[in-house]
Amino acid sequence: MGNWYNNITTVGPEQADIAAWCARHDRHAYVTPTRARITVIFDRDVDQGADPGELGDLALVASLELGCPVLAAAVYDDDVLLLALYDRGKQIGEYSSANRSTLDAATLCRLFGVRTRAPIVWLVLHSPRLPLFVFESFRHRLLLRILRQPLWAFASGYRYIRKGEPPPHLEEADLLHIEGGRSR
């Protein structure tokens, strides 16, 4: 059985602002520290439901209310990588490793501050699964590296953290845990 995870990466807002947003919306979530303007949200309900529509809805609302770019990511059994990019309440594009996509590599790179890396991102997004990406989480990890993001969103979701498996290069104590309006 491969990886199953969902998470949301924000560009700009600090951890405390995102935690307050999660609390206002009565979410149960873990929130990473902010590094180089990047913060990742691991939401319980989105992770348990594994519904791409619910993940996209939450990411859309976060992008609107936090006023920032948001990238929603989901990997299902390591067979499919889904990405959805939002900016200030508008969906910019979607990517599916299994279907046609509308996510533009240049826009993704611009919103993450790495404009010159668009050709490499395009290549990763359009490469066939085999032989390079035996697991779609590998494609996700490579994209995170190219976009110069911390690897926190790689192979990590609410359930993994709850089971004692925090994101790469973080301890569980580094994460803020929001429990339906309260942070711990």
Side-chain angles (χ1 to χ4, degrees), residues 31-68:
V31 180
T32 67
T34 303
R35 182 186 301 156
R37 302 184 59 227
I38 300 294
T39 312
V40 182
I41 304 167
F42 305 97
D43 184 84
R44 180 190 71 183
D45 295 340
V46 165
D47 205 42
Q48 287 177 344
D51 176 3
E54 188 177 348
L55 174 66
D57 291 346
L58 186 62
L60 176 71
V61 171
S63 77
L64 175 65
E65 294 181 2
L66 294 168
C68 68

PDB file of all heavy atoms in Angstrom, residues 31-68:
ATOM      1  N   VAL A  31      -0.235  22.713  12.021  1.00  0.00           N
ATOM      2  CA  VAL A  31       0.323  23.793  11.214  1.00  0.00           C
ATOM      3  C   VAL A  31       1.829  23.840  11.461  1.00  0.00           C
ATOM      4  O   VAL A  31       2.277  23.917  12.607  1.00  0.00           O
ATOM      5  CB  VAL A  31      -0.330  25.153  11.570  1.00  0.00           C
ATOM      6  CG1 VAL A  31       0.269  26.275  10.723  1.00  0.00           C
ATOM      7  CG2 VAL A  31      -1.840  25.093  11.412  1.00  0.00           C
ATOM      8  N   THR A  32       2.600  23.805  10.375  1.00  0.00           N
ATOM      9  CA  THR A  32       4.060  23.831  10.498  1.00  0.00           C
ATOM     10  C   THR A  32       4.539  25.240  10.852  1.00  0.00           C
ATOM     11  O   THR A  32       3.809  26.217  10.676  1.00  0.00           O
ATOM     12  CB  THR A  32       4.747  23.433   9.173  1.00  0.00           C
ATOM     13  OG1 THR A  32       4.494  24.434   8.184  1.00  0.00           O
ATOM     14  CG2 THR A  32       4.299  22.066   8.697  1.00  0.00           C
ATOM     15  N   PRO A  33       5.772  25.345  11.301  1.00  0.00           N
ATOM     16  CA  PRO A  33       6.368  26.669  11.412  1.00  0.00           C
ATOM     17  C   PRO A  33       6.455  27.297  10.019  1.00  0.00           C
ATOM     18  O   PRO A  33       6.348  26.593   9.013  1.00  0.00           O
ATOM     19  CB  PRO A  33       7.772  26.406  11.958  1.00  0.00           C
ATOM     20  CG  PRO A  33       7.784  24.996  12.407  1.00  0.00           C
ATOM     21  CD  PRO A  33       6.682  24.282  11.700  1.00  0.00           C
ATOM     22  N   THR A  34       6.664  28.585   9.960  1.00  0.00           N
ATOM     23  CA  THR A  34       6.833  29.273   8.680  1.00  0.00           C
ATOM     24  C   THR A  34       8.327  29.380   8.394  1.00  0.00           C
ATOM     25  O   THR A  34       9.092  29.836   9.234  1.00  0.00           O
ATOM     26  CB  THR A  34       6.200  30.678   8.736  1.00  0.00           C
ATOM     27  OG1 THR A  34       4.826  30.530   9.097  1.00  0.00           O
ATOM     28  CG2 THR A  34       6.320  31.394   7.409  1.00  0.00           C
ATOM     29  N   ARG A  35       8.713  28.923   7.212  1.00  0.00           N
ATOM     30  CA  ARG A  35      10.106  29.038   6.793  1.00  0.00           C
ATOM     31  C   ARG A  35      10.111  29.543   5.360  1.00  0.00           C
ATOM     32  O   ARG A  35       9.461  28.970   4.485  1.00  0.00           O
ATOM     33  CB  ARG A  35      10.821  27.697   6.853  1.00  0.00           C
ATOM     34  CG  ARG A  35      12.297  27.859   6.442  1.00  0.00           C
ATOM     35  CD  ARG A  35      13.055  26.574   6.322  1.00  0.00           C
ATOM     36  NE  ARG A  35      13.076  25.803   7.532  1.00  0.00           N
ATOM     37  CZ  ARG A  35      13.256  24.483   7.566  1.00  0.00           C
ATOM     38  NH1 ARG A  35      13.403  23.805   6.442  1.00  0.00           N
ATOM     39  NH2 ARG A  35      13.277  23.835   8.705  1.00  0.00           N
ATOM     40  N   ALA A  36      10.864  30.620   5.134  1.00  0.00           N
ATOM     41  CA  ALA A  36      10.966  31.219   3.804  1.00  0.00           C
ATOM     42  C   ALA A  36       9.569  31.468   3.227  1.00  0.00           C
ATOM     43  O   ALA A  36       9.303  31.159   2.071  1.00  0.00           O
ATOM     44  CB  ALA A  36      11.808  30.360   2.874  1.00  0.00           C
ATOM     45  N   ARG A  37       8.657  31.981   4.063  1.00  0.00           N
ATOM     46  CA  ARG A  37       7.286  32.354   3.711  1.00  0.00           C
ATOM     47  C   ARG A  37       6.364  31.153   3.450  1.00  0.00           C
ATOM     48  O   ARG A  37       5.242  31.328   3.026  1.00  0.00           O
ATOM     49  CB  ARG A  37       7.277  33.295   2.504  1.00  0.00           C
ATOM     50  CG  ARG A  37       8.087  34.573   2.731  1.00  0.00           C
ATOM     51  CD  ARG A  37       8.003  35.548   1.581  1.00  0.00           C
ATOM     52  NE  ARG A  37       6.607  35.917   1.351  1.00  0.00           N
ATOM     53  CZ  ARG A  37       6.034  35.944   0.150  1.00  0.00           C
ATOM     54  NH1 ARG A  37       6.718  35.655  -0.923  1.00  0.00           N
ATOM     55  NH2 ARG A  37       4.760  36.283   0.017  1.00  0.00           N
ATOM     56  N   ILE A  38       6.833  29.938   3.688  1.00  0.00           N
ATOM     57  CA  ILE A  38       6.044  28.730   3.438  1.00  0.00           C
ATOM     58  C   ILE A  38       5.553  28.151   4.760  1.00  0.00           C
ATOM     59  O   ILE A  38       6.327  27.977   5.703  1.00  0.00           O
ATOM     60  CB  ILE A  38       6.886  27.663   2.701  1.00  0.00           C
ATOM     61  CG1 ILE A  38       7.375  28.188   1.357  1.00  0.00           C
ATOM     62  CG2 ILE A  38       6.124  26.358   2.563  1.00  0.00           C
ATOM     63  CD1 ILE A  38       6.301  28.461   0.342  1.00  0.00           C
ATOM     64  N   THR A  39       4.259  27.824   4.806  1.00  0.00           N
ATOM     65  CA  THR A  39       3.640  27.145   5.949  1.00  0.00           C
ATOM     66  C   THR A  39       2.709  26.078   5.393  1.00  0.00           C
ATOM     67  O   THR A  39       2.028  26.301   4.392  1.00  0.00           O
ATOM     68  CB  THR A  39       2.826  28.138   6.810  1.00  0.00           C
ATOM     69  OG1 THR A  39       3.615  29.300   7.078  1.00  0.00           O
ATOM     70  CG2 THR A  39       2.410  27.508   8.128  1.00  0.00           C
ATOM     71  N   VAL A  40       2.673  24.919   6.030  1.00  0.00           N
ATOM     72  CA  VAL A  40       1.837  23.817   5.563  1.00  0.00           C
ATOM     73  C   VAL A  40       0.766  23.514   6.605  1.00  0.00           C
ATOM     74  O   VAL A  40       1.042  23.494   7.804  1.00  0.00           O
ATOM     75  CB  VAL A  40       2.678  22.553   5.265  1.00  0.00           C
ATOM     76  CG1 VAL A  40       1.794  21.428   4.734  1.00  0.00           C
ATOM     77  CG2 VAL A  40       3.787  22.865   4.274  1.00  0.00           C
ATOM     78  N   ILE A  41      -0.449  23.273   6.108  1.00  0.00           N
ATOM     79  CA  ILE A  41      -1.600  22.915   6.948  1.00  0.00           C
ATOM     80  C   ILE A  41      -1.957  21.460   6.672  1.00  0.00           C
ATOM     81  O   ILE A  41      -2.124  21.059   5.509  1.00  0.00           O
ATOM     82  CB  ILE A  41      -2.834  23.793   6.621  1.00  0.00           C
ATOM     83  CG1 ILE A  41      -2.514  25.273   6.758  1.00  0.00           C
ATOM     84  CG2 ILE A  41      -4.021  23.390   7.497  1.00  0.00           C
ATOM     85  CD1 ILE A  41      -3.589  26.174   6.153  1.00  0.00           C
ATOM     86  N   PHE A  42      -2.108  20.690   7.746  1.00  0.00           N
ATOM     87  CA  PHE A  42      -2.547  19.303   7.655  1.00  0.00           C
ATOM     88  C   PHE A  42      -3.902  19.227   8.363  1.00  0.00           C
ATOM     89  O   PHE A  42      -3.959  19.230   9.590  1.00  0.00           O
ATOM     90  CB  PHE A  42      -1.550  18.364   8.325  1.00  0.00           C
ATOM     91  CG  PHE A  42      -0.150  18.508   7.793  1.00  0.00           C
ATOM     92  CD1 PHE A  42       0.784  19.296   8.456  1.00  0.00           C
ATOM     93  CD2 PHE A  42       0.237  17.872   6.632  1.00  0.00           C
ATOM     94  CE1 PHE A  42       2.072  19.432   7.979  1.00  0.00           C
ATOM     95  CE2 PHE A  42       1.533  18.001   6.142  1.00  0.00           C
ATOM     96  CZ  PHE A  42       2.453  18.793   6.814  1.00  0.00           C
ATOM     97  N   ASP A  43      -4.974  19.184   7.602  1.00  0.00           N
ATOM     98  CA  ASP A  43      -6.334  19.251   8.143  1.00  0.00           C
ATOM     99  C   ASP A  43      -6.912  17.847   8.336  1.00  0.00           C
ATOM    100  O   ASP A  43      -6.859  17.018   7.418  1.00  0.00           O
ATOM    101  CB  ASP A  43      -7.226  20.057   7.198  1.00  0.00           C
ATOM    102  CG  ASP A  43      -8.613  20.245   7.743  1.00  0.00           C
ATOM    103  OD1 ASP A  43      -8.816  21.184   8.532  1.00  0.00           O
ATOM    104  OD2 ASP A  43      -9.486  19.425   7.377  1.00  0.00           O
ATOM    105  N   ARG A  44      -7.481  17.593   9.510  1.00  0.00           N
ATOM    106  CA  ARG A  44      -8.019  16.266   9.834  1.00  0.00           C
ATOM    107  C   ARG A  44      -9.157  15.847   8.906  1.00  0.00           C
ATOM    108  O   ARG A  44      -9.144  14.750   8.342  1.00  0.00           O
ATOM    109  CB  ARG A  44      -8.509  16.242  11.278  1.00  0.00           C
ATOM    110  CG  ARG A  44      -9.082  14.872  11.670  1.00  0.00           C
ATOM    111  CD  ARG A  44      -9.781  14.903  12.987  1.00  0.00           C
ATOM    112  NE  ARG A  44     -11.036  15.659  12.823  1.00  0.00           N
ATOM    113  CZ  ARG A  44     -11.860  15.928  13.816  1.00  0.00           C
ATOM    114  NH1 ARG A  44     -11.571  15.546  15.035  1.00  0.00           N
ATOM    115  NH2 ARG A  44     -12.968  16.609  13.590  1.00  0.00           N
ATOM    116  N   ASP A  45     -10.156  16.699   8.760  1.00  0.00           N
ATOM    117  CA  ASP A  45     -11.334  16.316   7.985  1.00  0.00           C
ATOM    118  C   ASP A  45     -10.999  16.071   6.521  1.00  0.00           C
ATOM    119  O   ASP A  45     -11.506  15.128   5.905  1.00  0.00           O
ATOM    120  CB  ASP A  45     -12.437  17.364   8.116  1.00  0.00           C
ATOM    121  CG  ASP A  45     -12.967  17.454   9.543  1.00  0.00           C
ATOM    122  OD1 ASP A  45     -12.777  16.490  10.325  1.00  0.00           O
ATOM    123  OD2 ASP A  45     -13.558  18.489   9.885  1.00  0.00           O
ATOM    124  N   VAL A  46     -10.159  16.901   5.967  1.00  0.00           N
ATOM    125  CA  VAL A  46      -9.746  16.728   4.568  1.00  0.00           C
ATOM    126  C   VAL A  46      -8.953  15.438   4.414  1.00  0.00           C
ATOM    127  O   VAL A  46      -9.139  14.685   3.464  1.00  0.00           O
ATOM    128  CB  VAL A  46      -8.938  17.957   4.098  1.00  0.00           C
ATOM    129  CG1 VAL A  46      -8.207  17.665   2.808  1.00  0.00           C
ATOM    130  CG2 VAL A  46      -9.849  19.157   3.930  1.00  0.00           C
ATOM    131  N   ASP A  47      -8.079  15.156   5.373  1.00  0.00           N
ATOM    132  CA  ASP A  47      -7.252  13.957   5.299  1.00  0.00           C
ATOM    133  C   ASP A  47      -8.091  12.690   5.460  1.00  0.00           C
ATOM    134  O   ASP A  47      -7.883  11.708   4.758  1.00  0.00           O
ATOM    135  CB  ASP A  47      -6.162  14.017   6.368  1.00  0.00           C
ATOM    136  CG  ASP A  47      -4.939  13.189   6.013  1.00  0.00           C
ATOM    137  OD1 ASP A  47      -4.524  13.227   4.844  1.00  0.00           O
ATOM    138  OD2 ASP A  47      -4.408  12.519   6.903  1.00  0.00           O
ATOM    139  N   GLN A  48      -9.054  12.717   6.359  1.00  0.00           N
ATOM    140  CA  GLN A  48      -9.899  11.534   6.582  1.00  0.00           C
ATOM    141  C   GLN A  48     -10.845  11.292   5.412  1.00  0.00           C
ATOM    142  O   GLN A  48     -11.069  10.161   5.024  1.00  0.00           O
ATOM    143  CB  GLN A  48     -10.718  11.692   7.869  1.00  0.00           C
ATOM    144  CG  GLN A  48      -9.875  11.544   9.104  1.00  0.00           C
ATOM    145  CD  GLN A  48     -10.669  11.779  10.384  1.00  0.00           C
ATOM    146  OE1 GLN A  48     -11.763  12.331  10.370  1.00  0.00           O
ATOM    147  NE2 GLN A  48     -10.094  11.372  11.486  1.00  0.00           N
ATOM    148  N   GLY A  49     -11.390  12.363   4.863  1.00  0.00           N
ATOM    149  CA  GLY A  49     -12.347  12.208   3.774  1.00  0.00           C
ATOM    150  C   GLY A  49     -11.725  11.838   2.451  1.00  0.00           C
ATOM    151  O   GLY A  49     -12.344  11.194   1.621  1.00  0.00           O
ATOM    152  N   ALA A  50     -10.478  12.237   2.243  1.00  0.00           N
ATOM    153  CA  ALA A  50      -9.759  11.973   0.990  1.00  0.00           C
ATOM    154  C   ALA A  50     -10.570  12.389  -0.240  1.00  0.00           C
ATOM    155  O   ALA A  50     -10.521  11.751  -1.278  1.00  0.00           O
ATOM    156  CB  ALA A  50      -9.335  10.507   0.898  1.00  0.00           C
ATOM    157  N   ASP A  51     -11.322  13.478  -0.105  1.00  0.00           N
ATOM    158  CA  ASP A  51     -12.136  14.002  -1.201  1.00  0.00           C
ATOM    159  C   ASP A  51     -11.414  15.205  -1.798  1.00  0.00           C
ATOM    160  O   ASP A  51     -11.271  16.226  -1.127  1.00  0.00           O
ATOM    161  CB  ASP A  51     -13.511  14.400  -0.661  1.00  0.00           C
ATOM    162  CG  ASP A  51     -14.400  15.047  -1.709  1.00  0.00           C
ATOM    163  OD1 ASP A  51     -13.995  15.148  -2.881  1.00  0.00           O
ATOM    164  OD2 ASP A  51     -15.513  15.463  -1.340  1.00  0.00           O
ATOM    165  N   PRO A  52     -10.964  15.107  -3.060  1.00  0.00           N
ATOM    166  CA  PRO A  52     -10.247  16.234  -3.654  1.00  0.00           C
ATOM    167  C   PRO A  52     -11.082  17.515  -3.683  1.00  0.00           C
ATOM    168  O   PRO A  52     -10.546  18.608  -3.591  1.00  0.00           O
ATOM    169  CB  PRO A  52      -9.905  15.772  -5.064  1.00  0.00           C
ATOM    170  CG  PRO A  52     -10.306  14.368  -5.170  1.00  0.00           C
ATOM    171  CD  PRO A  52     -11.072  13.972  -3.963  1.00  0.00           C
ATOM    172  N   GLY A  53     -12.402  17.391  -3.809  1.00  0.00           N
ATOM    173  CA  GLY A  53     -13.258  18.572  -3.813  1.00  0.00           C
ATOM    174  C   GLY A  53     -13.231  19.295  -2.484  1.00  0.00           C
ATOM    175  O   GLY A  53     -13.176  20.525  -2.423  1.00  0.00           O
ATOM    176  N   GLU A  54     -13.241  18.534  -1.384  1.00  0.00           N
ATOM    177  CA  GLU A  54     -13.191  19.138  -0.052  1.00  0.00           C
ATOM    178  C   GLU A  54     -11.838  19.806   0.189  1.00  0.00           C
ATOM    179  O   GLU A  54     -11.760  20.903   0.742  1.00  0.00           O
ATOM    180  CB  GLU A  54     -13.454  18.069   1.011  1.00  0.00           C
ATOM    181  CG  GLU A  54     -13.605  18.631   2.407  1.00  0.00           C
ATOM    182  CD  GLU A  54     -13.937  17.559   3.439  1.00  0.00           C
ATOM    183  OE1 GLU A  54     -14.276  16.427   3.064  1.00  0.00           O
ATOM    184  OE2 GLU A  54     -13.840  17.882   4.637  1.00  0.00           O
ATOM    185  N   LEU A  55     -10.776  19.162  -0.265  1.00  0.00           N
ATOM    186  CA  LEU A  55      -9.435  19.749  -0.161  1.00  0.00           C
ATOM    187  C   LEU A  55      -9.379  21.056  -0.945  1.00  0.00           C
ATOM    188  O   LEU A  55      -8.890  22.072  -0.447  1.00  0.00           O
ATOM    189  CB  LEU A  55      -8.382  18.766  -0.687  1.00  0.00           C
ATOM    190  CG  LEU A  55      -6.943  19.278  -0.772  1.00  0.00           C
ATOM    191  CD1 LEU A  55      -6.376  19.560   0.611  1.00  0.00           C
ATOM    192  CD2 LEU A  55      -6.076  18.253  -1.516  1.00  0.00           C
ATOM    193  N   GLY A  56      -9.900  21.038  -2.160  1.00  0.00           N
ATOM    194  CA  GLY A  56      -9.907  22.242  -2.991  1.00  0.00           C
ATOM    195  C   GLY A  56     -10.737  23.357  -2.393  1.00  0.00           C
ATOM    196  O   GLY A  56     -10.331  24.522  -2.416  1.00  0.00           O
ATOM    197  N   ASP A  57     -11.894  23.020  -1.832  1.00  0.00           N
ATOM    198  CA  ASP A  57     -12.741  24.035  -1.198  1.00  0.00           C
ATOM    199  C   ASP A  57     -12.020  24.715  -0.044  1.00  0.00           C
ATOM    200  O   ASP A  57     -12.052  25.936   0.098  1.00  0.00           O
ATOM    201  CB  ASP A  57     -14.055  23.427  -0.693  1.00  0.00           C
ATOM    202  CG  ASP A  57     -14.976  22.993  -1.824  1.00  0.00           C
ATOM    203  OD1 ASP A  57     -14.740  23.380  -2.988  1.00  0.00           O
ATOM    204  OD2 ASP A  57     -15.936  22.241  -1.527  1.00  0.00           O
ATOM    205  N   LEU A  58     -11.360  23.907   0.803  1.00  0.00           N
ATOM    206  CA  LEU A  58     -10.640  24.468   1.941  1.00  0.00           C
ATOM    207  C   LEU A  58      -9.479  25.345   1.465  1.00  0.00           C
ATOM    208  O   LEU A  58      -9.252  26.441   1.987  1.00  0.00           O
ATOM    209  CB  LEU A  58     -10.130  23.357   2.859  1.00  0.00           C
ATOM    210  CG  LEU A  58      -9.474  23.821   4.151  1.00  0.00           C
ATOM    211  CD1 LEU A  58     -10.450  24.590   5.037  1.00  0.00           C
ATOM    212  CD2 LEU A  58      -8.897  22.624   4.906  1.00  0.00           C
ATOM    213  N   ALA A  59      -8.761  24.895   0.450  1.00  0.00           N
ATOM    214  CA  ALA A  59      -7.642  25.674  -0.085  1.00  0.00           C
ATOM    215  C   ALA A  59      -8.126  26.986  -0.707  1.00  0.00           C
ATOM    216  O   ALA A  59      -7.489  28.029  -0.540  1.00  0.00           O
ATOM    217  CB  ALA A  59      -6.870  24.844  -1.105  1.00  0.00           C
ATOM    218  N   LEU A  60      -9.256  26.935  -1.397  1.00  0.00           N
ATOM    219  CA  LEU A  60      -9.826  28.140  -2.000  1.00  0.00           C
ATOM    220  C   LEU A  60     -10.185  29.178  -0.929  1.00  0.00           C
ATOM    221  O   LEU A  60      -9.825  30.350  -1.044  1.00  0.00           O
ATOM    222  CB  LEU A  60     -11.067  27.787  -2.814  1.00  0.00           C
ATOM    223  CG  LEU A  60     -11.826  28.957  -3.426  1.00  0.00           C
ATOM    224  CD1 LEU A  60     -11.026  29.567  -4.567  1.00  0.00           C
ATOM    225  CD2 LEU A  60     -13.191  28.499  -3.918  1.00  0.00           C
ATOM    226  N   VAL A  61     -10.843  28.728   0.124  1.00  0.00           N
ATOM    227  CA  VAL A  61     -11.225  29.637   1.217  1.00  0.00           C
ATOM    228  C   VAL A  61      -9.975  30.190   1.904  1.00  0.00           C
ATOM    229  O   VAL A  61      -9.904  31.388   2.205  1.00  0.00           O
ATOM    230  CB  VAL A  61     -12.161  28.926   2.222  1.00  0.00           C
ATOM    231  CG1 VAL A  61     -12.388  29.782   3.458  1.00  0.00           C
ATOM    232  CG2 VAL A  61     -13.489  28.586   1.559  1.00  0.00           C
ATOM    233  N   ALA A  62      -8.984  29.332   2.124  1.00  0.00           N
ATOM    234  CA  ALA A  62      -7.734  29.805   2.750  1.00  0.00           C
ATOM    235  C   ALA A  62      -7.068  30.870   1.882  1.00  0.00           C
ATOM    236  O   ALA A  62      -6.624  31.904   2.397  1.00  0.00           O
ATOM    237  CB  ALA A  62      -6.781  28.628   2.972  1.00  0.00           C
ATOM    238  N   SER A  63      -7.015  30.651   0.574  1.00  0.00           N
ATOM    239  CA  SER A  63      -6.361  31.627  -0.303  1.00  0.00           C
ATOM    240  C   SER A  63      -7.101  32.957  -0.300  1.00  0.00           C
ATOM    241  O   SER A  63      -6.480  34.021  -0.337  1.00  0.00           O
ATOM    242  CB  SER A  63      -6.226  31.082  -1.722  1.00  0.00           C
ATOM    243  OG  SER A  63      -7.440  31.139  -2.430  1.00  0.00           O
ATOM    244  N   LEU A  64      -8.423  32.900  -0.238  1.00  0.00           N
ATOM    245  CA  LEU A  64      -9.228  34.119  -0.218  1.00  0.00           C
ATOM    246  C   LEU A  64      -9.053  34.871   1.097  1.00  0.00           C
ATOM    247  O   LEU A  64      -8.723  36.057   1.113  1.00  0.00           O
ATOM    248  CB  LEU A  64     -10.710  33.780  -0.432  1.00  0.00           C
ATOM    249  CG  LEU A  64     -11.684  34.949  -0.307  1.00  0.00           C
ATOM    250  CD1 LEU A  64     -11.444  35.968  -1.414  1.00  0.00           C
ATOM    251  CD2 LEU A  64     -13.117  34.447  -0.335  1.00  0.00           C
ATOM    252  N   GLU A  65      -9.263  34.175   2.202  1.00  0.00           N
ATOM    253  CA  GLU A  65      -9.274  34.845   3.499  1.00  0.00           C
ATOM    254  C   GLU A  65      -7.881  35.191   4.013  1.00  0.00           C
ATOM    255  O   GLU A  65      -7.724  36.165   4.755  1.00  0.00           O
ATOM    256  CB  GLU A  65     -10.028  33.988   4.508  1.00  0.00           C
ATOM    257  CG  GLU A  65     -11.511  33.884   4.141  1.00  0.00           C
ATOM    258  CD  GLU A  65     -12.323  33.072   5.117  1.00  0.00           C
ATOM    259  OE1 GLU A  65     -11.780  32.588   6.138  1.00  0.00           O
ATOM    260  OE2 GLU A  65     -13.539  32.910   4.861  1.00  0.00           O
ATOM    261  N   LEU A  66      -6.868  34.418   3.638  1.00  0.00           N
ATOM    262  CA  LEU A  66      -5.501  34.742   4.038  1.00  0.00           C
ATOM    263  C   LEU A  66      -4.828  35.660   3.017  1.00  0.00           C
ATOM    264  O   LEU A  66      -3.747  36.182   3.266  1.00  0.00           O
ATOM    265  CB  LEU A  66      -4.683  33.465   4.235  1.00  0.00           C
ATOM    266  CG  LEU A  66      -5.127  32.573   5.403  1.00  0.00           C
ATOM    267  CD1 LEU A  66      -4.439  31.209   5.321  1.00  0.00           C
ATOM    268  CD2 LEU A  66      -4.843  33.247   6.736  1.00  0.00           C
ATOM    269  N   GLY A  67      -5.456  35.827   1.846  1.00  0.00           N
ATOM    270  CA  GLY A  67      -4.944  36.728   0.815  1.00  0.00           C
ATOM    271  C   GLY A  67      -3.602  36.305   0.254  1.00  0.00           C
ATOM    272  O   GLY A  67      -2.708  37.140   0.085  1.00  0.00           O
ATOM    273  N   CYS A  68      -3.482  35.013  -0.060  1.00  0.00           N
ATOM    274  CA  CYS A  68      -2.174  34.508  -0.497  1.00  0.00           C
ATOM    275  C   CYS A  68      -2.328  33.341  -1.466  1.00  0.00           C
ATOM    276  O   CYS A  68      -3.396  32.763  -1.581  1.00  0.00           O
ATOM    277  CB  CYS A  68      -1.378  34.049   0.716  1.00  0.00           C
ATOM    278  SG  CYS A  68      -2.060  32.579   1.521  1.00  0.00           S
TER     279      CYS A  68
END
